[in-house]
Amino acid sequence: MITINTLFYLSGLLAIVASIKVVTGKQTIHALLYLVVSLLAVAVCFYLMGAPFAAGLEVIVYAGAILVLFVFAVMMFGLAQDEHLHAPKHGAGQWLGPIFLSVLLLLVLIIAISNSEIQQVLIPKVIDAKDVGILLYGPYLLAVEIASFLLLAGLVSGYHYAKPRQAMQSDDNFQVGDEI
């Protein structure tokens, strides 16, 4: 019989393997696919710990919104075009890693949802969005605001470093009082 601990450790291992592939991957799009698998595995870990609200937020906020932001950044900076020109051609084998990890994660989730013994253990105290909002905008307000400024600083610096050299040199020649 499969226990909660076994499923938890398996999904944690999937998150670690996918995260390593994110960091060591040579292509940005493949790293984003592994990042999706890693974030979904962390959401399964949250669910198995008895925090379905945190698991839902993990899927909606990170695997949904933040990954869309990363895809837009890849499209805006043109990273995929540079990699496509210089990368060796691969067949369907490049998809086997993410597909294997995704199928394994899906099996863990199906087993966790369909097993009635696990569901009896996972019945949590109901936490609604109002309770989370009161905490985020109450005692943790400073941490939320600091995190938002760090994300903004990362976005601005990423844009600055990805800007072409010609545009940076033309900005350096701009003098105060010059007309735009």
Side-chain angles (χ1 to χ4, degrees):
M1 190 65 177
I2 296 178
T3 64
I4 292 179
N5 290 337
T6 306
L7 294 175
F8 176 80
Y9 289 127
L10 183 60
S11 61
L13 180 67
L14 288 172
I16 290 170
V17 169
S19 298
I20 289 172
K21 290 297 286 181
V22 168
V23 176
T24 60
K26 291 182 174 49
Q27 292 191 347
T28 310
I29 300 299
H30 296 151
L32 285 174
L33 289 174
Y34 280 113
L35 185 59
V36 169
V37 173
S38 174
L39 292 172
L40 291 176
V42 170
V44 171
C45 286
F46 279 137
Y47 179 75
L48 291 173
M49 288 189 308
F53 189 77
L57 287 178
E58 177 83 17
V59 170
I60 292 169
V61 173
Y62 290 108
I66 300 297
L67 251 336
V68 169
L69 177 70
F70 285 166
V71 168
F72 283 145
V74 166
M75 290 188 313
M76 184 172 76
F77 297 145
L79 298 175
Q81 294 170 355
D82 294 338
E83 291 174 354
H84 184 65
L85 292 174
H86 304 293
K89 303 297 180 210
H90 294 293
Q94 65 188 1
W95 296 96
L96 290 180
I99 288 173
F100 175 72
L101 292 178
S102 300
V103 168
L104 196 56
L105 184 64
L106 181 64
L107 289 175
V108 167
L109 191 58
I110 289 172
I111 291 169
I113 291 174
S114 64
N115 194 335
S116 62
E117 293 175 9
I118 292 175
Q119 287 300 318
Q120 293 298 324
V121 175
L122 291 178
I123 297 175
K125 175 188 171 249
V126 176
I127 299 173
D128 58 350
K130 181 179 178 182
D131 294 336
V132 174
I134 288 171
L135 285 175
L136 285 180
Y137 292 107
Y140 298 112
L141 179 63
L142 184 61
V144 170
E145 291 301 321
I146 289 172
S148 67
F149 277 112
L150 285 173
L151 288 171
L152 179 64
L155 182 67
V156 169
S157 61
Y159 174 74
H160 176 71
Y161 286 121
K163 190 168 37 168
R165 287 284 175 204
Q166 298 161 347
M168 291 174 69
Q169 290 172 353
S170 66
D171 288 347
D172 292 340
N173 295 334
F174 181 75
Q175 299 291 326
V176 175
D178 288 347
E179 291 187 26
I180 297 178

